[in-house]
Amino acid sequence: MAKRESMDELKKRLREVVRRLKRAYPDAKTALNHTNAFELLIATILSAQSTDERVNIVTADLFRKYRKPEDFLKVPASELERDIHSTGFFRNKTKSIQGTSKLLLEKFDGQVPHTMDELLELPGVARKTANVVLGNAFGIKAGVVVDTHVTRLSHRLDFSGEKTAEKIERDLIELVPRKDWVLFPHLMIFHGRKICKARSPLCAECVVEKQCPSSYLKTGVMPGS
Ligand code: SF4
């Protein structure tokens, strides 16, 4: 039976994976178009169960019409629902956006707050959205974003065996150097989209194949099959 990797070995392997992915994806960053923290917050709410491409199409018009929290409250829900319809789950997202806008005005002077606890008070905002905003709008390293790509790659690379985003994030916080908390998910997402796809990952073309215990070149079994 293969010897279980020690924590030090695991951290060393992860550091090598990060080093290689940084070289492969020097421009890795959020794909959601935004010009300020409020726009990134709205775009991230819209991105649930949608694609970044779709959200960018919608926000290109949306952010011309709605520039600040007040603007989202001036229109009836039905109008906002129509404006964001194509991102899916438009009723819930409208509730979240209008609820968030209302609370931002009532409690935070219309500004996006800078702490995890305050962001989590906003309707429709969970840890993932809060981490995206803190890390990418403010450069605050409060945690590690865990989405579907980060989950899949963390499992394949054996950085976490946990099932829930919260527990996977806890594992990653322990393993990933704090300076890389914001960049790490972008690297995973870029690699997940291009090479380590959900179905039929391209292990033979993967820059971290040597560091990956799930590579089909080693196991003979296609991950995700
Ligand atoms: S070797 Fe295969 S499974 Fe492992 S990270 Fe690369 S593409 Fe994904």
Side-chain angles (χ1 to χ4, degrees), residues 153 156-157 191 195-196 201-203 206 208-209 212 214-216 223:
L153 269 72
R156 287 180 180 170
L157 285 157
H191 195 54
I195 303 287
C196 192
L202 309 173
C203 300
C206 177
V208 295
E209 192 276 326
C212 179
S214 305
S215 161
Y216 68 70

Side-chain angles (χ1 to χ4, degrees), residues 73-92:
L73 296 171
K74 273 187 205 149
V75 298
S78 56
E79 186 173 334
L80 182 54
E81 283 174 6
R82 265 198 309 280
D83 290 337
I84 64 166
H85 186 271
S86 67
T87 68
F89 298 92
F90 55 91
R91 286 204 183 88
N92 275 343

Side-chain angles (χ1 to χ4, degrees), residues 101-153:
S101 297
K102 190 161 177 277
L103 198 64
L104 287 179
L105 287 168
E106 283 172 3
K107 194 162 173 188
F108 300 107
D109 221 7
Q111 303 299 311
V112 178
H114 283 53
T115 69
M116 175 65 76
D117 286 347
E118 288 170 318
L119 279 163
L120 291 178
E121 286 181 44
L122 302 171
V125 173
R127 268 196 80 87
K128 179 178 154 240
T129 300
N131 270 327
V132 169
V133 172
L134 289 172
N136 296 280
F138 302 134
I140 296 171
K141 297 170 180 83
V144 178
V145 170
V146 176
D147 75 346
T148 165
H149 297 287
V150 177
T151 298
R152 182 176 73 257
L153 269 72

